Amino acid sequence: MRPILMKGHERPLTFLKYNRDGDLLFSCAKDHTPTVWFADNGERLGTYRGHNGAVWTCDVSRDSMRLITGSADQTVKLWNVQKGTQLYTFNFGSPARSVEFAIGDKLAVITTDPFMELTSAIHVKRIAGDSTEQTEESVLVIKGPQGRINRAVWGPLNRTIISAGEDAVIRIWDSETGKLLKESDKESGHKKTITSLTKAADGSHFLSGSLDKSAKLWDTRTLTLIKTYSTERPVNAVAMSPLLDHVVLGGGQDASAVTTTDHRAGKFEAKFYDKILQEEIGGVKGHFGPINALAFNPDGKSFSSGGEDGYVRLHHFDPDYFNIKI
């Protein structure tokens, strides 16, 4: 399995997202310029210029016509995917950390960081079909708990919003009223900051990764803990195969410890675990810095990872990957 190295970013990667068809890969980094690549050969298609800060997150509409990006420049922008033009800019008083389109692409959930006097917040915006009619106002604003919310995603049928962040608690909110419905249990939940959260293809369960060196699999409706995957280093990114029962964890050490390790090889690896048996089945090495982003192609036949080293590595699985036996 030879990776395709995609060099287009000058700064560490923050987020990776495939479109629904799996032919395009969008990458966000701290260099202000989200980039789109061909997902089969790693060729760079184009960039989206306009942000003035690190871009933390993005999402692409179901029809691959629109891209939404959230940035540390305190804006969220809507883009035309094909032309690379800006369609609209939402302005906030603090950095935008997470964005996701709802099913149907008529709504978007956006989380903003605590900044000056502002607490963290979850905003729901209505996305107009015609961008000339787009407005700034929020349908709902949920004032967040203490600390940053690193990720907020839509629950089944857009009825709920699932959020997670620095206080290590996963919360499920009613997306109509903003009422808190459920919180993850302190005992079984994460012990440190939750860095990442990804949903299964069918939305029935989701995976969270944390700096407590573990990832956990949860039931979306009941918030019951199903599985825990333990590793030796903090987890920055998680992904779930849509095809096989595999979960992938990516991470690294704290910056203070980086200098003490072997400098020769790309030591940072994406670790594969069996989703059901919770056992490690393999790893893909290669990055020269912690892995900050992971994404599976919707067909489950390839995955990509983005690192602190500014590279995106695109891996097409070998045929023998599909018959790994434990």
Side-chain angles (χ1 to χ4, degrees), residues 19 26 31 67 78 83 94 112 123 142 158 162 175 206 212 221 250 278:
N19 66 342
F26 296 86
D31 63 4
L67 179 72
L78 282 168
K83 298 184 184 148
S94 59
T112 53
H123 309 256
I142 303 169
N158 300 340
I162 304 160
S175 61
F206 66 90
D212 66 8
R221 291 177 192 278
Q278 307 177 40

Side-chain angles (χ1 to χ4, degrees), residues 106-132:
K106 297 233 181 344
L107 296 168
V109 62
I110 300 166
T111 68
T112 53
D113 288 354
F115 189 71
M116 315 286 265
E117 290 84 57
L118 294 166
T119 57
S120 56
I122 301 170
H123 309 256
V124 176
K125 301 278 190 192
R126 194 165 269 117
I127 305 293
D130 178 357
S131 55
T132 55

